[in-house]
Amino acid sequence: MLRIAVVGSGPSGVYTAQALVQQPLVPGILVDVLDRLPCPYGLVRYGVAPDHEKIKSLQNTLRSVLEHERVRFLGNVEIGTRGLTPERLLGLYHAVVYCVGAARDRRLGIPGEELAGSHSATDFVSWYSAHPDAAPAEFGLGTRSVVVIGVGNVAVDVARVLARGAEDLRPTDVPHPALGALAGSAVRDVHMVGRRGPSQAKFTTKELRELGALPSAEVRVEPADLALDPAYAPATPTAAPLAAVNRRNVDVVRGWADQPDRDRARRIHLRFFLRPVELLGPEGRVTAVRFERTAPDKSGGVRGTGTYEEIEAGLVLRAVGYRGVPIAGLPFDETTGTVPHLAGRVLRQGVASPGEYAAGWIKRGPTGVIGTNRACAKETVVSLIADVPRLAARRITADPLDALRAAGHHPVEWPGWLAIEDAEAALGASLGRRSVKIPDWDGLLAAARGERG
């Protein structure tokens, strides 16, 4: 019987497990889905905004895979420096597929980035998503003005959560301390800033339109910013599907530029063609961001113009992308932030490493949407299945779970996760809310053991 470990229980890991148990060439494969956290679903649980319930409902699809009779969830198992080494893990399974995502945020690389009040959007998302690694941080919500640097969907999510009233978030699973902090927020102006225009921004039109649907906030756009966009003129030809999507973004933003002020409680300012050059804070805490005005060049990028402006901000959140995090003992390309591979086979010094594979963001970088992980997982599984004659000859332990426990690990199995779900439902009921996430390691592990606080 072939035993495969999948490291990571987000979409890429679960789709990999699904492809393994559904492929017809090698029947009876057993899959253990390992995760460092005691909870499954990865970024679907800890990265999707709490008010995006339709996307979060993908958990139901992932659940059906993790409940398959030949799939076993093992949470609270870390691979790397503080846990099981890749070498030791490969000794427990015929093959290991790494689907660990891209957990590190990209830096701006500008002066003042380390000032108090400057954070990654990743940290902010982890805080309002109750990630157990999130520090109980104060995000400076006592300030009136916030700058979000970036124009992707994460930036839109962060801006929307900051501008949305706490009562709108109360029906979601936002942890109670975060909900209380958002209820007491003094934020009135959220500036979402990008160095290029809306036609080149990475947010989707659907996400963008959601900003205009907030009942307690209005969206403002500088017509002078919009006029710089190459796709602003109605006569500009649309050459490709992507350009068509970007033109729709321009149309949405144009509508906001033309509408009168509605004098709502909060304002989202969409700013374009501004490149951050410095975070200002004479007393060690950020007070403003200095930007250089950019303009389109002739190659599809932007150039600096030598003109500058400052936007006041007591809180700055950078949302400029993610990078993969290396796992000790596994090859890693610092340039791309990925594990070197060939069709999913991990490469060590340019040669495929027997039994080691990768899928998801750690394989291809942080690109695509959730559904992109299906095709990515299938490619890796095709490579793995082709290698089965060699993999099946490897000698492994009878049951990896016994070896994990003998090595001092305390895996959270599926019943433990169900106990966490029950505890979160009970917590929500005690607060007069729906299910509310438990935000700390001790609470999650206690719940997994059936202990109630």
Side-chain angles (χ1 to χ4, degrees), residues 394-409:
R394 298 184 65 253
R395 299 181 63 181
I396 65 170
T397 59
D399 187 346
L401 181 55
D402 293 337
L404 288 172
R405 288 173 174 156
H409 296 273

Side-chain angles (χ1 to χ4, degrees), residues 194 196-198 220-230 232 253-254 256-258 270-274 293-296 305 309:
R196 297 192 289 185
R220 294 183 177 179
V221 179
E222 296 284 341
D225 288 358
L226 184 57
L228 291 170
D229 196 290
Y232 178 73
V253 173
R254 178 191 284 115
W256 289 329
D258 294 338
L270 295 185
R271 299 299 312 275
F272 301 101
F273 295 103
L274 292 173
R293 167 65 71 185
T294 63
T305 64
E309 72 173 84

Side-chain angles (χ1 to χ4, degrees), residues 152-176:
N153 282 347
V154 173
V156 174
D157 284 347
V158 167
R160 193 181 63 254
V161 168
L162 284 166
R164 187 182 281 281
E167 282 305 307
D168 292 341
L169 292 171
R170 185 177 175 82
T172 73
D173 60 3
V174 167
H176 216 58

Side-chain angles (χ1 to χ4, degrees), residues 171-346:
T172 73
D173 60 3
V174 167
H176 216 58
L179 185 67
L182 290 166
S185 170
V187 173
R188 293 298 175 266
D189 292 282
V190 180
H191 305 265
M192 191 172 75
V193 188
R195 63 187 177 90
R196 297 192 289 185
S199 73
Q200 296 175 307
K202 293 186 177 180
F203 46 57
T204 61
T205 305
K206 179 180 180 296
E207 289 262 2
L208 186 62
R209 284 178 173 147
E210 288 179 352
L211 294 179
L214 297 177
S216 57
E218 61 180 312
V219 182
R220 294 183 177 179
V221 179
E222 296 284 341
D225 288 358
L226 184 57
L228 291 170
D229 196 290
Y232 178 73
T236 301
T238 300
L242 179 59
V245 172
N246 287 344
R247 177 170 291 284
R248 289 200 293 271
N249 288 344
V250 173
D251 290 341
V252 172
V253 173
R254 178 191 284 115
W256 289 329
D258 294 338
Q259 73 181 9
D261 292 344
R262 292 181 288 179
D263 195 29
R264 292 187 176 177
R266 296 180 179 87
R267 295 168 293 275
I268 300 174
H269 305 264
L270 295 185
R271 299 299 312 275
F272 301 101
F273 295 103
L274 292 173
R275 177 167 56 202
V277 295
E278 185 177 6
L279 272 58
L280 307 175
E283 297 182 1
R285 184 172 188 86
V286 65
T287 57
V289 184
R290 191 171 192 238
F291 292 92
E292 181 183 18
R293 167 65 71 185
T294 63
D297 60 21
K298 294 182 180 180
S299 60
V302 293
R303 57 176 175 80
T305 64
T307 302
Y308 299 87
E309 72 173 84
E310 295 177 8
I311 299 178
E312 177 186 344
L315 172 63
V316 176
L317 300 172
R318 62 179 182 274
V320 292
Y322 297 99
R323 276 184 58 81
V325 177
I327 294 177
L330 198 67
F332 189 75
D333 186 334
E334 286 288 352
T335 301
T336 61
T338 61
V339 170
H341 74 94
L342 179 63
R345 295 180 178 94
V346 172

